Amino acid sequence: MTEISRSRSPRFLLFFASVSLQFISGFSDDSTNSEISSKTKSNGNSNVATKVVIVLIGLAAVGLFSFFLFKAWQKRKRDEQHARLLKLFEEDGDLEAELGLHD
């Protein structure tokens, strides 16, 4: 079950990013009023560009945060496995002493 949820997460993020980028163009002011100067139109384009940059920075931040969480999870699992391995060998030493196999 966790394999399915892991494979859906990147797809969901990609879908969410593509949908959100589609809506960014809807936020710009595209009125066809004759009173709008070319300066205002260029400000509208820079406004869209700013929003795109903010979304990309946000996605990069989420990606980096996910990467560091994954690395921390890997390290924790590795430490747990190492502790289990050490405990296993400690138990074997006790068994050898109990059986009189250890000098």
Side-chain angles (χ1 to χ4, degrees), residues 48-72:
V48 171
T50 303
K51 289 180 182 178
V52 169
V53 169
I54 290 171
V55 168
L56 291 176
I57 289 172
L59 287 174
V62 167
L64 286 172
F65 184 67
S66 299
F67 174 76
F68 286 118
L69 282 178
F70 176 71
K71 287 298 187 179

Side-chain angles (χ1 to χ4, degrees), residues 8-50:
R8 284 188 179 177
S9 180
R11 282 189 229 154
F12 175 73
L13 288 176
L14 184 62
F15 172 74
F16 180 72
S18 65
V19 169
S20 64
L21 287 176
Q22 293 294 323
F23 285 114
I24 287 178
S25 63
F27 294 131
S28 66
D29 186 22
D30 290 336
S31 63
T32 57
N33 194 356
S34 62
E35 297 174 5
I36 298 175
S37 67
S38 63
K39 184 177 180 181
T40 306
K41 288 183 182 179
S42 67
N43 283 342
N45 290 338
S46 67
N47 191 17
V48 171
T50 303

Side-chain angles (χ1 to χ4, degrees), residues 79-95:
D79 289 343
E80 286 176 1
Q81 287 179 350
H82 184 70
R84 285 176 51 200
L85 182 68
L86 289 176
K87 185 177 179 181
L88 178 68
F89 282 117
E90 286 175 3
E91 289 175 0
D92 284 344
D94 291 340
L95 286 175

